[in-house]
Coordinates of all heavy atoms in Angstrom, one line a residue:
L182 N -0.9 21.4 49.5 CA -1.3 21.9 48.3 C -2.1 21.0 47.4 O -2.1 19.9 47.6 CB 0.0 22.5 47.4 CG 0.9 23.5 48.2 CD1 2.2 23.6 47.4 CD2 0.1 24.8 48.4
G183 N -2.9 21.5 46.4 CA -3.7 20.8 45.7 C -3.0 19.9 44.7 O -1.8 20.0 44.4
Y184 N -3.9 19.2 43.8 CA -3.4 18.4 42.7 C -3.7 19.0 41.4 O -4.9 19.6 41.3 CB -3.9 17.0 42.8 CG -3.6 16.1 41.6 CD1 -2.5 15.4 41.8 CD2 -4.4 16.0 40.5 CE1 -2.0 14.6 40.6 CE2 -4.0 15.2 39.5 CZ -2.8 14.4 39.5 OH -2.4 13.7 38.5
P185 N -2.9 19.0 40.3 CA -1.6 18.5 40.3 C -0.6 19.4 41.0 O -0.7 20.6 41.0 CB -1.3 18.3 38.8 CG -2.1 19.4 38.1 CD -3.3 19.5 39.0
G186 N 0.5 18.9 41.6 CA 1.3 19.6 42.5 C 2.4 20.5 41.8 O 2.7 21.5 42.5
G187 N 2.8 20.1 40.7 CA 3.9 20.8 40.0 C 3.6 22.3 40.0 O 4.4 23.2 40.5
P188 N 2.5 22.7 39.3 CA 2.3 24.1 39.2 C 2.1 24.8 40.5 O 2.4 26.0 40.7 CB 0.9 24.1 38.3 CG 0.8 22.7 37.7 CD 1.5 21.8 38.6
Q189 N 1.5 24.1 41.5 CA 1.3 24.7 42.8 C 2.6 25.0 43.5 O 2.8 26.0 44.2 CB 0.4 23.9 43.7 CG -0.9 23.5 42.9 CD -2.1 23.9 43.7 OE1 -2.1 24.8 44.6 NE2 -3.2 23.3 43.4
I190 N 3.4 24.0 43.4 CA 4.8 24.1 44.0 C 5.5 25.2 43.4 O 6.2 26.1 44.2 CB 5.6 22.8 43.8 CG1 4.9 21.7 44.6 CG2 7.1 23.1 44.3 CD1 5.5 21.3 45.9
E191 N 5.5 25.3 42.0 CA 6.2 26.5 41.4 C 5.6 27.8 41.9 O 6.4 28.8 42.1 CB 5.9 26.3 39.9 CG 6.7 27.4 39.1 CD 6.9 27.2 37.6 OE1 6.3 26.4 37.1 OE2 7.8 27.9 37.1
R192 N 4.3 27.9 42.0 CA 3.7 29.2 42.4 C 4.2 29.5 43.9 O 4.6 30.7 44.2 CB 2.3 29.0 42.3 CG 1.6 30.3 41.7 CD 0.1 30.0 41.5 NE -0.2 29.1 40.4 CZ -1.0 28.0 40.5 NH1 -1.8 27.9 41.4 NH2 -1.1 27.2 39.5
A193 N 4.1 28.5 44.7 CA 4.5 28.7 46.1 C 6.0 29.0 46.3 O 6.3 29.9 47.1 CB 4.1 27.5 47.0
A194 N 6.8 28.4 45.4 CA 8.2 28.5 45.5 C 8.7 30.0 45.2 O 9.7 30.4 45.7 CB 8.9 27.6 44.5
A195 N 7.8 30.7 44.5 CA 8.2 32.1 44.0 C 8.4 33.0 45.2 O 9.2 33.9 45.1 CB 7.2 32.6 43.1
G196 N 7.7 32.7 46.3 CA 7.9 33.5 47.5 C 8.7 32.9 48.6 O 8.6 33.3 49.7

Side-chain angles (χ1 to χ4, degrees):
L182 300 172
Y184 177 85
Q189 308 239 20
I190 296 263
E191 177 162 22
R192 225 168 294 135

